[in-house]
Amino acid sequence: MIRARLLTAHRVVVLRDPVGQPPDTAPGEVMKRRTLAERFEECGTRTVRGARVSVYALRC
């Protein structure tokens, strides 16, 4: 379901953990990261109060 919903968007804003934090191993988070890596391109990331906010765009 997460993959299908992500693929309906042209752009996605993602709140990410700070650098150095271990990745979340929940199945939904693993699928989200996999889908972003396979189908999206990271357009930019900013750090806001320790968290990272990234914008991804669907690859053509």
Side-chain angles (χ1 to χ4, degrees):
M1 180 171 195
I2 289 173
R3 181 179 179 85
R5 290 185 73 189
L6 282 171
L7 293 175
T8 66
H10 294 284
R11 288 192 191 105
V12 180
V13 177
V14 179
L15 180 60
R16 300 166 65 189
D17 290 326
V19 173
Q21 290 282 27
D24 190 338
T25 58
E29 290 297 313
V30 171
M31 180 56 68
K32 177 180 76 175
R33 286 193 305 272
R34 183 178 302 146
T35 303
L36 289 171
E38 291 173 354
R39 301 294 300 271
F40 288 81
E41 178 178 346
E42 185 178 335
C43 299
T45 298
R46 297 220 178 182
T47 301
V48 180
R49 297 184 181 173
R52 294 180 297 157
V53 179
S54 298
V55 176
Y56 288 83
L58 191 62
R59 289 188 180 128
C60 297

